[in-house]
Amino acid sequence: MVDFHVTVAQAAADSSSAWKDYGVPFATAILGALLAYVPSRLLAGRATKELVARDEKARREAEVVAARRVFIKLSVLVNAILDYHNEIEGRIAQAEQAGNSEMTIAQRLSAFVGVNREPSVSFSVDELEVFIAAKRPDYVDNLVLLSRRHGAMLSMLAAFGQMKTDLHYELAKHGHTSRDSDQVSTTAARMPASLGNYFRVQMDELNLFAVSMRQTIAAFAAFAREVAQDYGPITRAYLGADATLDLAEGPAEPSRDQ
């Protein structure tokens, strides 16, 4: 019985010694690792949030810059279209007021000086992506279409001016040309029936082109106003009131010198 108790006590003593030798250092190592991991994890999480916040801020700032570039280009496009529309209507009204109501639309309009030097305006992918992010792909379509219509308008105006100038000089070869106080030129000529028919066809075609051009540019002007009016509400809803400029009232409608 004595030997048995001694043996058990010795075994217990051996177990306690093993825990001291191995268990305590192991537990201490785990505890130390945990104490080191928790702050590191918290710092890493904080750094990640700060990085995400910085990225979000940078993205937002880039979108604001892109939206403002769109504003500038949109202003150029809309004002150019309205400008030429107003000039066409102004020249037609001016002829009416001067008592020249019998003149055709083509006769009331002259070549548009400087139209060949008008710059083309288009939107970059980065600029259009702002409105994709705003879930307004329809406005992207409108911006692209407005740019194309601006280009089409310039082409029509340039073509009309060239046709009108060519016809003017061609007629001048066959008669006498005079210009009145309103700067309206008239060519008087006697010519064979075949040549008269040739010029009459050219004048008819020129007038048909002028009438169509007038109607088309009027439609372009109405569309341009709609696109301009939509810019403010869309950008304000997506980027906030302080981040955007506003075209809600529509750009100014300047008129060229007649």
Side-chain angles (χ1 to χ4, degrees):
M1 294 296 292
V2 173
D3 291 339
F4 175 77
H5 285 293
V6 171
T7 301
V8 171
Q10 185 65 41
D14 291 342
S15 176
S16 175
S17 176
W19 169 252
K20 290 180 182 179
D21 292 340
Y22 302 103
V24 173
F26 180 72
T28 302
I30 292 177
L31 181 59
L34 288 173
L35 291 175
Y37 171 78
V38 172
S40 299
R41 183 61 178 173
L42 292 174
L43 290 173
R46 179 179 178 182
T48 300
K49 290 180 180 178
E50 290 177 350
L51 181 60
V52 170
R54 284 198 300 270
D55 289 346
E56 177 63 20
K57 181 180 179 182
R59 182 187 66 81
R60 207 65 170 177
E61 289 175 348
E63 287 182 330
V64 170
V65 171
R68 288 177 175 170
R69 288 201 304 266
V70 171
F71 176 89
I72 293 171
K73 293 181 178 181
L74 182 58
S75 297
V76 172
L77 289 171
V78 173
N79 279 301
I81 294 174
L82 294 179
D83 198 356
Y84 281 111
H85 167 63
N86 291 338
E87 182 173 354
I88 290 171
E89 297 305 317
R91 290 184 184 181
I92 293 173
Q94 187 179 44
E96 191 77 24
Q97 293 168 3
N100 296 315
S101 58
E102 77 286 352
M103 295 174 64
T104 66
I105 298 299
Q107 289 174 326
R108 300 184 193 196
L109 301 177
S110 57
F112 295 84
V113 179
V115 68
N116 290 320
R117 295 192 297 272
E118 289 277 359
S120 60
V121 180
S122 59
F123 299 96
S124 69
V125 173
D126 290 342
E127 292 162 352
L128 296 176
E129 281 182 347
V130 174
F131 300 96
I132 295 294
K135 302 186 186 307
R136 290 301 302 268
D138 58 313
Y139 196 66
V140 172
D141 292 340
N142 287 344
L143 289 173
V144 173
L145 182 56
L146 183 66
S147 175
R148 291 179 177 176
R149 288 186 172 182
H150 173 261
M153 178 195 69
L154 296 180
S155 296
M156 284 188 291
L157 293 170
F160 173 80
Q162 189 62 55
M163 293 166 63
K164 179 80 182 271
T165 301
D166 290 347
L167 179 58
H168 173 74
Y169 286 128
E170 190 68 20
L171 275 170
K173 292 179 182 179
H174 301 277
H176 176 73
T177 303
S178 60
R179 194 178 299 275
D180 62 21
S181 58
D182 293 324
Q183 301 302 308
V184 176
S185 64
T186 303
T187 298
R190 296 178 64 87
M191 59 185 67
S194 59
L195 188 59
N197 181 69
Y198 169 75
F199 282 118
R200 185 168 55 253
V201 170
Q202 279 199 327
M203 287 187 287
D204 287 344
E205 291 300 321
L206 179 62
N207 190 56
L208 288 173
F209 185 92
V211 170
S212 176
M213 179 181 72
R214 179 193 183 188
Q215 294 172 344
T216 299
I217 294 178
F220 287 0
F223 177 71
R225 290 191 184 97
E226 292 177 2
V227 177
Q229 290 168 359
D230 287 342
Y231 173 87
I234 293 173
T235 52
R236 191 160 47 249
Y238 180 60
L239 296 173
D242 296 333
T244 62
L245 302 172
D246 200 352
L247 273 168
E249 298 301 324
E253 299 186 9
S255 58
R256 294 172 179 269
D257 294 334
Q258 301 298 323

